[in-house]
Amino acid sequence: GEDVEQSLFLSVREGDSSVINCTYTDSSSTYLYWYKQEPGAGLQLLTYIFSNMDMKQDQRLTVLLNKKDKHLSLRIADTQTGDSAIYFCAESIPTSGGSYIPTFGRGTSLIVHP
Amino acid sequence: DTGVSQDPRHKITKRGQNVTFRCDPISEHNRLYWYRQTLGQGPEFLTYFQNEAQLEKSRLLSDRFSAERPKGSFSTLEIQRTEQGDSAMYLCASSPPTGTGANVLTFGAGSRLTVL
């Protein structure tokens, strides 16, 4: 996870917007991903963005990519208590063998309070 | 298809014992990954299969760990002579052939290992 950095905690009030930030190191990443993990469950893909895009919007989710600064963010509009979970940023890093292996950050724990 | 299945969900064992985890991926997915996740950490890559071929192994995968995917379908992860440091959640994920497209992983719920 040292290739992908995230802040560990974010606390927001229900109805506010949440912004989760991530920095990555490998400029050859072609796709960057956001996954969500709820307690006791595996990771679930939320959204992804191709590296030649600056922004992608999907309902309440907006992904912003600053490739120059290797910075990725996930904005959740109108955050609900059901959004409380751990959010992982991931990049696919090419290996010497030609495979692309998804590498994850440590995750940001989002706490939504009423 | 019910997604990626892992078994058992929880295993408690004594130090020095061997354990084996099984993963059944989504049937049309040819790629299979094993990750390890400890508390407060993100998933750490262990190994990757494309069909039955094990193409990548992390340096985290010591010689006590072995993984197989004999027919390109289900996979097993065996840990021999378990140590307390092996206690973690072992996650399996699979993905379909993508060409140059996004490699979207579908994760199982994980197998939690507790070594006493």
Side-chain angles (χ1 to χ4, degrees):
Chain A
E2 67 272 10
D3 299 301
V4 180
E5 296 282 341
Q6 300 179 239
S7 54
L8 295 183
F9 299 98
L10 177 65
S11 178
V12 300
R13 191 175 304 172
E14 189 174 20
D16 288 351
S17 292
S18 308
V19 179
I20 302 171
N21 294 300
C22 167
T23 56
Y24 61 97
T25 58
D26 198 309
S27 58
S28 61
S29 296
T30 52
Y31 288 91
L32 294 131
Y33 307 83
W34 285 103
Y35 284 81
K36 176 183 180 182
Q37 186 177 34
E38 296 181 351
L43 280 71
Q44 178 184 11
L45 178 78
L46 278 179
T47 187
Y48 61 86
I49 187 168
F50 188 46
S51 59
N52 70 350
M53 297 171 64
D54 297 325
M55 185 182 84
K56 179 180 179 181
Q57 187 150 5
D58 184 0
Q59 300 182 359
R60 293 191 297 123
L61 305 179
T62 302
V63 178
L64 295 178
L65 175 60
N66 182 329
K67 199 171 180 182
K68 173 177 168 291
D69 295 337
K70 299 192 183 77
H71 183 266
L72 184 73
S73 68
L74 174 70
R75 178 177 180 269
I76 305 172
D78 186 26
T79 314
Q80 303 297 306
T81 54
D83 294 323
S84 294
I86 302 176
Y87 291 80
F88 293 94
C89 172
E91 60 173 341
S92 280
I93 296 181
T95 67
S96 56
S99 304
Y100 280 78
I101 303 299
T103 299
F104 292 83
R106 289 182 63 182
T108 299
S109 182
L110 174 64
I111 301 164
V112 183
H113 52 91
Chain B
D1 199 333
T2 56
V4 178
S5 299
Q6 291 190 245
D7 184 69
R9 291 294 308 277
H10 197 175
K11 177 74 176 177
I12 301 172
T13 192
K14 292 183 179 179
R15 189 176 54 186
Q17 297 294 304
N18 299 342
V19 296
T20 300
F21 301 114
R22 177 181 169 120
C23 172
D24 286 273
I26 293 173
S27 56
E28 59 267 26
H29 287 188
N30 66 333
R31 301 178 182 187
L32 187 145
Y33 305 78
W34 284 99
Y35 286 83
R36 181 175 69 187
Q37 187 179 23
T38 53
L39 196 62
Q41 300 294 322
E44 296 175 298
F45 171 71
L46 293 178
T47 191
Y48 162 63
F49 289 85
Q50 184 166 307
N51 300 311
E52 67 275 9
Q54 187 175 21
L55 297 185
E56 300 289 343
K57 289 171 65 173
S58 164
R59 63 184 182 277
L60 293 175
L61 211 68
S62 76
D63 54 9
R64 295 186 299 106
F65 288 69
S66 62
E68 293 182 343
R69 194 183 184 198
K71 296 181 181 177
S73 56
F74 74 93
S75 175
T76 57
L77 177 69
E78 181 183 17
I79 309 173
Q80 296 182 325
R81 304 182 303 282
T82 51
E83 301 172 357
Q84 288 183 325
D86 297 331
S87 295
M89 177 76 85
Y90 289 85
L91 297 170
C92 177
S94 67
S95 65
T98 65
T100 57
N103 185 17
V104 175
L105 269 59
T106 301
F107 280 84
S111 292
R112 180 170 295 284
L113 174 64
T114 303
V115 182
L116 302 176

